[in-house]
Amino acid sequence: MSDENLNPLRKKLENLVTEYQQKNDFTGWFEDIYTDALGNPEQVPWAKMQPHPCLENWVKIANITKKKALVIGCGLGDDSEILAQYKANVTAFDIAPSSIEWCQKRFNNSSVNYLVADLLNLDNSWKNSFEIIFESRTIQALPITIRKEVIEAIATSLKPGGTLLIVTRLRDTEDTIDGPPWPVSEAELSQFSEYGYQEINRIPYIDTNNPSVKQALIEYQRN
Ligand SMILES: C[S@@+](CC[C@H](N)C(=O)[O-])C[C@H]1O[C@@H](n2cnc3c(N)ncnc32)[C@H](O)[C@@H]1O
């Protein structure tokens, strides 16, 4: 897309990503997006202010009462809150301190334990410890060059027997592409099998604002 056709928020995001990447920093720009938004979710490009519809459908049929759940890159908290409403014991983290402050303000009576943490530097005590992990659009928000580390960090946090849910854009080739987002390929997803994961369900998701983009909720079980 030519520069003048980009909406201002998208253009700002791309400029920020480039600026941080030049410093070899793949995540610093998220905090800038949240702080610059000054509490206005319309200034956060991914904020929907409601749980992902695929997660909403999933919680209605899964029994998650008292299960220990982790939400990765929780953003403004809607997905974490629906897991808590269905009675899971939820920890939710994000690398951007302002997103966590926003969640704590927005859901000030919540049972969710909101924390600032970096997926690529998680506490060792979290290894193999969660029964449910939910991640939406965080893998795709990080460059393909660090995908192996990102998938490893997610994969090793789930307890054997647990369930991992991923919401992501998918790409059909193994070619490297420009982003963000950087949709996930089948070869990248196959890395989960190295950690004992089996795909048990894949539900395609069509975003009406972006119907041509291939997206899905993928459910894995860890053996
Ligand atoms: C595209 S947003 C998606 C937010 C939310 N999951 C959703 O679907 O609305 C990606 C989120 O991941 C967070 N994030 C990116 N890298 C992270 C990391 N290394 N550790 C923790 N959170 C990270 C960002 O701050 C941002 O909130």
Side-chain angles (χ1 to χ4, degrees), residues 23 87-89 145 173 198:
K23 298 183 270 185
K87 305 214 168 13
N89 296 326
T145 46
T173 70
Q198 208 179 346

Short mmCIF file of all heavy atoms in Angstrom, two decimals, residues 23 87-89 145 173 198:
data_model
loop_
_atom_site.label_atom_id
_atom_site.label_comp_id
_atom_site.label_asym_id
_atom_site.label_seq_id
_atom_site.Cartn_x
_atom_site.Cartn_y
_atom_site.Cartn_z
N LYS A 23 16.85 -0.38 16.57
CA LYS A 23 17.61 -0.53 17.83
C LYS A 23 17.63 -1.99 18.27
O LYS A 23 17.93 -2.32 19.41
CB LYS A 23 16.94 0.31 18.93
CG LYS A 23 16.91 1.80 18.65
CD LYS A 23 16.30 2.58 19.81
CE LYS A 23 14.81 2.73 19.65
NZ LYS A 23 14.13 3.56 20.64
N LYS A 87 -14.83 -19.09 35.56
CA LYS A 87 -14.31 -19.63 36.83
C LYS A 87 -12.93 -20.28 36.76
O LYS A 87 -12.57 -21.08 37.63
CB LYS A 87 -15.32 -20.58 37.48
CG LYS A 87 -16.69 -19.96 37.69
CD LYS A 87 -17.34 -20.49 38.93
CE LYS A 87 -18.56 -19.75 39.40
NZ LYS A 87 -19.22 -18.80 38.55
N ALA A 88 -12.15 -19.92 35.74
CA ALA A 88 -10.75 -20.35 35.76
C ALA A 88 -9.97 -19.42 36.70
O ALA A 88 -10.40 -18.29 36.96
CB ALA A 88 -10.17 -20.28 34.35
N ASN A 89 -8.84 -19.92 37.22
CA ASN A 89 -7.92 -19.07 38.01
C ASN A 89 -6.91 -18.48 37.04
O ASN A 89 -6.00 -19.18 36.58
CB ASN A 89 -7.19 -19.90 39.06
CG ASN A 89 -8.16 -20.46 40.08
OD1 ASN A 89 -9.16 -19.82 40.41
ND2 ASN A 89 -7.91 -21.68 40.54
N THR A 145 11.87 -13.85 12.73
CA THR A 145 13.25 -14.17 13.15
C THR A 145 13.31 -14.68 14.60
O THR A 145 14.25 -15.37 14.96
CB THR A 145 14.15 -12.91 13.05
OG1 THR A 145 13.45 -11.82 13.64
CG2 THR A 145 14.49 -12.58 11.61
N THR A 173 2.59 -19.85 2.73
CA THR A 173 3.92 -20.23 2.25
C THR A 173 4.91 -20.14 3.41
O THR A 173 4.58 -19.60 4.47
CB THR A 173 4.42 -19.25 1.16
OG1 THR A 173 4.71 -18.00 1.81
CG2 THR A 173 3.40 -19.05 0.07
N GLN A 198 -0.46 -31.89 20.21
CA GLN A 198 -1.25 -32.44 19.12
C GLN A 198 -2.38 -31.46 18.82
O GLN A 198 -3.07 -31.01 19.75
CB GLN A 198 -1.85 -33.75 19.62
CG GLN A 198 -2.10 -34.72 18.52
CD GLN A 198 -2.66 -36.01 19.08
OE1 GLN A 198 -2.64 -36.26 20.28
NE2 GLN A 198 -3.22 -36.80 18.19
#
